[in-house]
Amino acid sequence: METTVTSVAKNPEGDHEPIVPIERYLENITHLVKQVQDKHVTPFLLTLPPLDPARYYRSIAERFGPSIGHFVSQVGGIEHWHGMYNRQLKNLAEELKVPLIDVRSYIKSAGDLNHLISDDGIHLTSKGYQQMSMAIFSDLQKHMAGRILPQS
């Protein structure tokens, strides 16, 4: 059964599965990586950006009622699931031998997360996206510096 925030809010004691289970998430990424590699292009994966669990719970409780927070806490909390998907993504990048850009650590070290993560606790602010783009740019530069580019 596919879970939506609304279905959880209506029945917080029920059994709910993630919209994209971890196995399908990893299969999807593997499929995309292989498609890109088949075109002789080097794919890069990004870690998941950080989130702010307290603001996330507050945001969803305001929209869907407090029962949603109860369910999320019963299944380990958003940070549990977010961290699990991120760890599996890192493992997959290593398994597929694909470069991984750690935007999560970069953003966490870039300053006050209150200014980098939006009020919903999940999405980045414009400053957060700016930090993420700087992490990507920096890692791409390092990657390209290690390569010998063809002569024109």
Side-chain angles (χ1 to χ4, degrees):
M1 174 182 187
E2 191 171 281
T3 300
T4 64
V5 177
T6 305
S7 67
V8 172
K10 287 180 182 174
N11 182 15
E13 300 300 326
D15 290 330
H16 302 282
E17 295 294 324
I19 292 173
V20 180
I22 190 74
E23 298 80 17
R24 189 166 67 196
Y25 171 73
L26 297 171
E27 287 169 7
N28 290 346
I29 293 172
T30 299
H31 178 73
L32 291 170
V33 164
K34 292 187 184 296
Q35 280 187 318
V36 171
Q37 288 174 329
D38 286 348
K39 294 181 179 1
H40 307 288
V41 174
T42 301
F44 282 74
L45 295 178
L46 305 178
T47 59
L48 301 177
L51 50 75
D52 182 333
R55 285 196 283 172
Y56 171 74
Y57 294 133
R58 192 169 39 251
S59 173
I60 62 170
E62 287 171 1
R63 289 185 285 156
F64 300 101
S67 62
I68 191 80
H70 170 74
F71 170 77
V72 172
S73 68
Q74 296 288 66
V75 296
I78 187 69
E79 59 276 18
H80 162 75
W81 291 93
H82 198 257
M84 179 179 64
Y85 277 62
N86 196 58
R87 283 187 301 280
Q88 291 297 319
L89 178 65
K90 285 178 158 183
N91 291 340
L92 182 64
E94 190 174 306
E95 179 183 313
L96 297 174
K97 297 177 179 25
V98 174
L100 179 73
I101 300 175
D102 187 2
V103 299
R104 183 186 196 94
S105 295
Y106 188 93
I107 293 168
K108 281 183 169 184
S109 68
D112 185 352
L113 290 180
N114 287 324
H115 300 295
L116 303 174
I117 301 173
S118 71
D119 289 340
D120 70 5
I122 292 184
H123 298 96
L124 298 176
T125 62
S126 60
K127 287 181 183 180
Y129 282 113
Q130 183 179 29
Q131 291 300 317
M132 186 165 90
S133 68
M134 289 168 54
I136 295 167
F137 182 73
S138 174
D139 270 27
L140 288 176
Q141 280 187 315
K142 290 175 191 170
H143 181 77
M144 294 308 291
R147 281 192 150 172
I148 299 171
L149 298 176
Q151 298 287 325
S152 327

